[in-house]
Amino acid sequence: GKLAMIKQLQLHGHYHLKQLCKQDSKLGPIFQYLEILKVYLCQSLLILLPSSSVSFRNLTEIVAFGCKKLIHLVTSSTAKPLVRLVRVSICGCRAMTEVVINDKEGVEKEEIVFSKLKALILCDLESLTSFCSANYTFRFPSLEYLEVIGCPKMKIFTTGESITPPRVNVHCWRCSRRSLPSTNFIGFL
């Protein structure tokens, strides 16, 4: 039959939800029109956007709040098509160690471009060690605002390169100053 064109999805308190959809799920085409995805207090969620045949290419906003078992937001192969993202906010996800996790074996150097991302907020992620530990180049040509608050284990932003506009408002508290993405950032500490 005809599939629904869901543009916004909010999940609140789904305590047993471990993943948004399974690999090669028949629900995959429903998500291709999704623009806003917000998950709150989904305590068993492990990864929000897994590597799969599901397309999230129309996402403009992602919010994850209080998902205590969420380890990663997105895999590297799922991150590449997220070119329409404008805002990402991750708060209170205590188990998160990386935002983007490498899911490609043997990749030496790759580039991921978040061309429209204006705001990246990482807040109270007590296990976060980096945005991505793989050797990727991340481009944020539209980034205006970066907030890293309450991420005491964050030592580096990425092992690869971060390329941003010349001026970005950076707010950092309880994180290592060395974890900031690049010298292009102007901080307000």
Side-chain angles (χ1 to χ4, degrees):
K2 193 173 184 178
L3 295 174
M5 291 177 34
I6 299 172
K7 293 199 176 203
Q8 183 170 344
L9 179 61
Q10 292 189 36
L11 302 171
H12 295 268
H14 293 275
Y15 299 109
H16 301 290
L17 180 70
K18 292 185 178 180
Q19 56 191 9
L20 198 55
C21 64
K22 293 182 179 180
Q23 181 84 13
D24 301 320
S25 169
K26 291 182 181 184
L27 293 175
I30 292 174
F31 296 116
Q32 69 184 346
Y33 302 104
L34 194 61
E35 294 174 6
I36 299 171
L37 176 59
K38 296 180 179 183
V39 292
Y40 302 94
L41 304 171
C42 295
Q43 303 299 333
S44 297
L45 191 63
L46 300 173
I47 185 166
L48 190 56
L49 304 179
S51 178
S52 70
S53 59
V54 178
S55 172
F56 294 96
R57 69 178 176 266
N58 288 309
L59 274 178
T60 60
E61 182 176 4
I62 299 174
V63 174
F65 177 82
C67 302
K68 68 180 182 180
K69 290 186 180 179
L70 187 63
I71 300 171
H72 314 290
L73 187 73
V74 62
T75 61
S76 56
S77 61
T78 307
K80 285 193 86 162
L82 296 177
V83 295
R84 295 184 180 178
L85 267 180
V86 175
R87 179 181 168 85
V88 174
S89 179
I90 310 163
C91 297
C93 301
R94 296 183 300 203
M96 183 168 286
T97 57
E98 293 180 68
V99 176
V100 178
I101 183 76
N102 182 20
D103 66 343
K104 296 181 177 179
E105 293 289 325
V107 174
E108 291 185 25
K109 190 81 171 168
E110 193 164 338
E111 183 174 274
I112 297 176
V113 181
F114 294 108
S115 59
K116 295 186 178 183
L117 189 69
K118 291 185 178 197
L120 175 60
I121 299 164
L122 307 173
C123 179
D124 292 327
L125 307 174
E126 51 193 63
S127 299
L128 188 72
T129 57
S130 66
F131 182 79
C132 180
S133 65
N135 190 23
Y136 289 113
T137 296
F138 286 93
R139 290 188 183 272
F140 304 94
S142 301
L143 193 65
E144 297 172 357
Y145 182 80
L146 172 67
E147 183 175 293
V148 181
I149 294 179
C151 303
K153 293 184 180 177
M154 189 172 190
K155 301 296 181 212
I156 59 168
F157 190 76
T158 181
T159 56
E161 190 177 359
S162 299
I163 301 169
T164 65
R167 294 192 174 273
V168 174
N169 288 324
V170 176
H171 297 269
C172 181
W173 183 70
R174 281 188 56 201
C175 63
S176 169
R177 186 166 177 76
R178 291 173 299 188
S179 68
L180 296 179
S182 73
T183 56
N184 288 344
F185 284 83
I186 294 180
F188 300 95
L189 303 176

